[in-house]
Amino acid sequence: IALSSIKIGLGSRDIIGFGLIGLLSFVISLYAIYPKYNEIAKKCSDCCKQIDSAQKFSTEFNLLTEELAKFIKPRISPNELDRFTKQEIVNLSKNPNFDQNSYIASYRVLMVAYLVSELKLSFIYALKIIIPFVIIDFVVLIVFASFELQSISPVVFSLPLKLAVFLIADGWRLIIESLIIGISSGVS
């Protein structure tokens, strides 16, 4: 979403393709998560060296889900976690054997809360990216209106101006660094 907002902000569908944005998103995600992946893989490998193959899969899976939960919990908005936890408790309270005092958020609740938190954060990033482009569009439109240049489309001048500002400000570096830091640090 954050990278797609560059395409929207520039106002051109032909400059950056969706394939490039998808590939760039995938590579950034892999780059940011790779250290955590190595840490989890090492823990699974060290833990399961002594276990026979029958228990190995179950133990690796449990360890993987615990490590994944540790990875995503700091990235979840407390409001989202509360919202989905309350809904889960309401659903589970229909079961007479349910004990609300011993409830721990399930992985399903954690994953949904994580995805919603990340979507919210992506839209915030997108808004931060689009606002400067909209300001440039308004300035160009005001200049064109003040000089009464109605025969020329403002897009003809605003697109190169937006590209120049983006390149001068080193926009790619700023956006990619902030996304990598956001993914790897755990701060939402």
Side-chain angles (χ1 to χ4, degrees):
I1 293 173
L3 292 175
S4 295
S5 64
I6 297 168
K7 184 175 184 158
I8 294 167
L10 287 173
S12 175
R13 296 184 178 133
D14 301 329
I15 292 178
I16 304 170
F18 284 112
L20 177 64
I21 290 173
L23 179 63
L24 192 56
S25 299
F26 181 71
V27 169
I28 290 171
S29 298
L30 282 180
Y31 178 78
I33 295 176
Y34 187 74
K36 186 63 179 178
Y37 166 77
N38 275 345
E39 179 184 326
I40 292 172
K42 186 177 182 324
K43 282 185 181 180
C44 285
S45 174
D46 292 346
C47 173
C48 297
K49 284 181 181 175
Q50 309 91 346
I51 302 172
D52 65 346
S53 62
Q55 285 183 310
K56 193 171 190 172
F57 177 76
S58 175
T59 305
E60 284 180 345
F61 183 76
N62 289 337
L63 185 61
L64 178 65
T65 53
E66 287 173 16
E67 290 297 319
L68 185 61
K70 286 180 194 175
F71 178 72
I72 66 173
K73 274 185 182 178
R75 293 164 172 77
I76 298 174
S77 163
N79 295 337
E80 300 304 329
L81 187 58
D82 277 351
R83 177 184 307 149
F84 291 108
T85 301
K86 286 177 184 174
Q87 184 61 41
E88 178 87 352
I89 289 173
V90 166
N91 291 340
L92 291 175
S93 64
K94 296 173 186 173
N95 182 351
N97 298 331
F98 175 68
D99 180 19
Q100 184 173 347
N101 297 329
S102 65
Y103 175 77
I104 299 173
S106 68
Y107 293 115
R108 182 178 69 163
V109 169
L110 290 176
M111 291 304 289
V112 172
Y114 172 72
L115 290 173
V116 171
S117 296
E118 289 297 309
L119 278 173
K120 188 186 294 185
L121 188 62
S122 295
F123 281 114
I124 291 169
Y125 278 139
L127 187 64
K128 289 178 182 180
I129 292 168
I130 289 176
I131 286 177
F133 292 129
V134 171
I135 291 171
I136 291 171
D137 279 336
F138 279 134
V139 168
V140 169
L141 189 62
I142 290 170
V143 168
F144 269 61
S146 67
F147 288 122
E148 298 179 4
L149 297 172
Q150 295 157 349
S151 61
I152 303 171
S153 172
V155 176
V156 171
F157 287 97
S158 69
L159 179 61
L161 184 61
K162 289 189 278 187
L163 280 172
V165 168
F166 187 73
L167 293 175
I168 290 170
D170 203 8
W172 280 117
R173 183 188 57 79
L174 293 172
I175 290 170
I176 291 173
E177 277 182 4
S178 67
L179 289 174
I180 289 173
I181 289 169
I183 292 169
S184 59
S185 70
V187 178
S188 293

